[in-house]
Amino acid sequence: MQILRSRALGSASSWLPLATKLFIPQSTASAVAAATGVSSWAPSPELPNHYFPLSIVRRRPYSSFLRSPPLRRRFSPLVGMGEERISYLSQREAAEIDGILMGSLGFSVDQLMELAGLSVASSIAEVYSSNDNCRILVLCGPGNNGGDGLVAARHLYHFGYQTCICYPKRTDKPLYSGLVTQLESLSIPFLSVEDLPQNLFDKFDIIIDAIFGFSFHGAPRPPFDDLIGRIASLNYIDIETQSSHAVISVDIPSGWHVEEGDISGDGIKPDMLVSLTAPKLCARKFTGPHHFLGGRFVPPSIKDKFGLQLPPYPGASMCVRIGKPPSVVISALRENYVSPEFLENEVSADPIDQFTKWFDEAVAAGLREPNAMALSTSSKDGKISSRIVLLKGVDKEGFVWYTNYGSRKAQDLSENPFAALLFHWNSLNRQVRVEGSVGKVSFEESDKYFHSRPRGSQLGAVVSKQSTPLTGRDVLHDAYRELDAKYADGGVIPKPDYWGGYRLKPNLVEFWQGQTSRLHDRIQYSLKEVEGKNSWHIVRLAP
């Protein structure tokens, strides 16, 4: 009996038995043979002639099956998924909706293609990090599905992925020629079928199947039959390290029947399916861990005409997950950071100057609330508490924030006037730690800042006795409305005595930048007295 080690739980003692034989269809036999190194095949007496036994099986991680949602027991055009009820389209309905979109509703093919491709790229970015899954191969067919793949490739390039394209049957239509020109201008490589390795995972982390869409029918012809076979063979390949190689299908897994799914049973088994407009009937047979809906362009008139029930898109997102996300093994969550080197001879001599440089870069990167920082304080008996506050000023004197002087943090600081700050800029792979003594800013400085705030924030600061118990939210709202009416004439709202600012004067500042294999950069500034003068001492710390 073969034994395969499971990495699903990150445990050295988890082992899973595998049957000695696996019977696979002849249509994938040659691809599996090339990918696994098994070269001898013989028909099995127990099965029809078109099935072959594979006695040495290399498989994908068992964790990928652990994460997959269970098969549903029954299917219907409207299927409950958690609290959602999702509609599925037949081939005829999908074609009719496309006709309406590009007819009476005035959409053009290139508009829909751009939105679809962006949806695909956004779905991938939701699940697969560009740090760990940067090498992407997009396999594009000759029709609109291939066009969606070309658009997705362009967006993925701009998202930071290393993208390659295989587009063997090009068309001279201006829309597609324009997409190719756009991709070539970005120096994105176009590979021929002959350039591809037999095992596509040898050179790529993610394979995007954008070959055939819902309008395709019949048997795939060369070279797409070979490409589909190569993708299908990846179902049997063992990824011997804990990786997240993935196959992603656009709208329809190529080779599937648009309504019946993988009829032969030996087709592509994608890890992610990105349905466009609305899921097609075959999506009911999808059992991978990630199903997304994209193409945020369906108007109410179409939803009403076809009785569509689709999940709402969150915020400004171009994609939405269908069903519950797969269960997560917390111990397996990790990032392999990729960042520029952070060297001692490149840092500023003063930590405030270095902080200002990094802060400006966080602002330029468009991070949400880059001034958010964790503030940790300690009471006189050593009980520590932390919370997120907003930085409102920084200069050579230190870091400034404002709060209620009756709050828990203010009570801690009155007993123990030392604190620590932590800035975490996740998308930049950066953190900054600051330690030092804390004191109140002047009344004049607090008053000036208080009256620079929006009127609503001033009223909120006055009515909230921070950290004290409330009998209900209505009490707070009643006090707010009463105060709002009191100053309805636009008069100046006086700053309450119990509200003001603090300044942390640093004596230690550490800059952290994530790097691959946990070999992170840590540069620490500490304030030292040398010949009667304080100066900053810079040292690199082990990660």
Side-chain angles (χ1 to χ4, degrees):
M1 177 173 285
Q2 290 178 291
I3 299 292
L4 175 69
R5 179 175 174 179
S6 167
R7 297 177 181 264
L9 302 178
S11 168
S13 59
S14 299
W15 299 84
L16 299 168
L18 293 181
T20 305
K21 289 186 178 180
L22 174 69
F23 294 96
I24 67 172
Q26 183 179 8
S27 57
T28 55
S30 59
V32 175
T36 60
V38 179
S39 57
S40 60
W41 306 86
S44 168
E46 307 102 62
L47 293 171
N49 288 336
H50 63 285
Y51 276 79
F52 288 74
L54 173 60
S55 58
I56 302 177
V57 183
R58 302 176 64 215
R59 299 192 55 167
R60 299 175 64 189
Y62 188 75
S63 58
S64 66
F65 297 100
L66 258 179
R67 291 193 298 268
S68 298
L71 287 168
R72 301 184 192 92
R73 294 183 179 179
R74 51 195 291 266
F75 303 112
S76 64
L78 196 63
V79 178
M81 304 178 75
E83 296 181 359
E84 304 170 20
R85 290 173 63 79
I86 306 298
S87 300
Y88 291 81
L89 299 177
S90 67
Q91 187 175 35
R92 179 190 59 77
E93 289 169 330
E96 187 177 350
I97 288 175
D98 266 13
I100 295 172
L101 287 169
M102 291 182 285
S104 60
L105 293 182
F107 283 90
S108 61
V109 176
D110 55 330
Q111 279 182 303
L112 297 178
M113 196 171 286
E114 184 66 30
L115 292 169
L118 177 57
S119 299
V120 172
S122 299
S123 300
I124 292 169
E126 284 284 324
V127 175
Y128 301 102
S129 165
S130 60
N131 290 340
D132 294 330
N133 308 93
C134 58
R135 304 174 305 166
I136 294 182
L137 173 65
V138 187
L139 299 173
C140 297
N144 289 349
N145 202 258
D148 296 342
L150 294 173
V151 173
R154 169 161 43 79
H155 286 292
L156 288 166
Y157 169 87
H158 290 298
F159 290 174
Y161 297 85
Q162 297 174 21
T163 310
C164 293
I165 299 168
C166 180
Y167 185 28
K169 293 289 185 181
R170 299 193 186 188
T171 172
D172 57 1
K173 292 180 180 179
L175 170 58
Y176 296 89
S177 298
L179 292 174
V180 169
T181 299
Q182 294 164 21
L183 294 162
E184 289 176 338
S185 73
L186 299 173
S187 299
I188 294 176
F190 279 78
L191 307 177
S192 68
V193 175
E194 293 72 26
D195 292 331
L196 300 178
Q198 187 64 38
N199 176 7
L200 298 175
F201 283 160
D202 281 348
K203 290 188 176 180
F204 302 101
D205 304 309
I206 292 175
I207 310 300
I208 299 179
D209 157 33
I211 300 175
F212 297 132
F214 70 82
S215 61
F216 178 81
H217 56 84
R221 291 179 292 184
F224 299 112
D225 56 348
D226 173 64
L227 289 175
I228 291 172
R230 291 198 210 183
I231 302 173
S233 73
L234 299 175
N235 300 330
Y236 304 93
I237 303 302
D238 177 29
I239 310 304
E240 295 177 347
T241 59
Q242 185 179 12
S243 61
S244 46
H245 288 67
V247 172
I248 297 165
S249 287
V250 176
D251 205 26
I252 305 290
S254 295
W256 282 30
H257 188 282
V258 68
E259 296 179 1
E260 299 300 324
D262 183 18
I263 296 174
S264 67
D266 63 337
I268 295 172
K269 307 274 191 302
D271 301 276
M272 174 186 283
L273 174 63
V274 184
S275 294
L276 298 172
T277 309
K280 313 309 178 286
L281 282 170
C282 68
R284 299 179 306 181
K285 307 293 179 69
F286 171 70
T287 59
H290 306 292
H291 188 189
F292 281 81
L293 175 64
R296 193 174 184 173
F297 45 69
V298 181
S301 60
I302 285 184
K303 288 183 179 179
D304 294 342
K305 177 178 175 63
F306 292 87
L308 297 182
Q309 294 199 39
L310 303 174
Y313 286 84
S317 178
M318 290 302 298
C319 61
V320 57
R321 182 183 285 277
I322 293 178
K324 294 181 179 180
S327 59
V328 174
V329 179
I330 295 178
S331 62
L333 293 175
R334 56 180 50 85
E335 281 283 334
N336 189 28
Y337 302 103
V338 178
S339 309
E341 289 183 328
F342 184 47
L343 304 175
E344 298 91 322
N345 60 1
E346 297 175 355
V347 302
S348 303
D350 188 291
I352 299 299
D353 294 335
Q354 183 63 41
F355 176 85
T356 301
K357 180 178 182 294
W358 272 24
F359 185 83
D360 289 345
E361 290 173 357
V363 172
L367 272 62
R368 185 168 182 259
E369 292 194 320
N371 59 329
M373 58 187 186
L375 166 65
S376 297
T377 58
S378 174
S379 63
K380 62 182 177 182
D381 55 0
K383 292 182 178 178
I384 299 171
S385 61
S386 299
R387 74 288 291 161
I388 301 295
V389 298
L390 298 178
L391 178 72
K392 289 300 177 181
V394 59
D395 56 26
K396 297 296 184 182
E397 296 302 313
F399 298 79
V400 176
W401 69 94
Y402 292 87
T403 188
N404 189 300
Y405 287 152
S407 62
R408 163 75 183 273
K409 53 187 170 292
Q411 179 63 34
D412 283 354
L413 290 170
S414 69
E415 298 174 356
N416 182 3
F418 296 91
L421 306 174
L422 174 63
F423 296 85
H424 180 214
W425 298 315
N426 183 55
S427 62
L428 298 179
N429 301 336
R430 286 175 172 175
Q431 298 181 57
V432 181
R433 289 197 317 111
V434 187
E435 298 176 8
S437 58
V438 180
K440 291 181 178 179
V441 305
S442 68
F443 174 88
E444 292 75 20
E445 191 173 347
S446 290
D447 193 64
K448 180 179 179 181
Y449 173 71
F450 180 83
H451 289 108
S452 73
R453 307 176 85 205
R455 184 174 183 275
S457 296
Q458 295 180 42
L459 294 171
V462 175
V463 301
S464 176
K465 306 300 186 288
Q466 195 174 103
S467 300
T468 60
L470 281 174
T471 57
R473 185 171 178 80
D474 58 319
V475 175
L476 195 63
H477 280 271
D478 289 345
Y480 183 95
R481 283 191 290 267
E482 183 179 337
L483 190 65
D484 188 24
K486 181 178 178 179
Y487 292 100
D489 60 356
V492 175
I493 303 169
K495 181 190 79 67
D497 293 337
Y498 50 78
W499 191 94
Y502 285 99
R503 176 178 284 106
L504 183 147
K505 190 173 183 62
N507 56 37
L508 185 146
V509 184
E510 180 185 323
F511 295 85
W512 181 98
Q513 185 156 282
Q515 299 291 1
T516 57
S517 302
R518 292 197 74 257
L519 301 179
H520 311 310
D521 292 314
R522 294 178 63 190
I523 304 296
Q524 185 186 85
Y525 294 73
S526 55
L527 201 58
K528 304 239 182 231
E529 185 176 331
V530 179
E531 297 179 354
K533 294 182 179 180
N534 287 332
S535 62
W536 289 103
H537 177 67
I538 302 174
V539 64
R540 175 178 289 272
L541 301 178

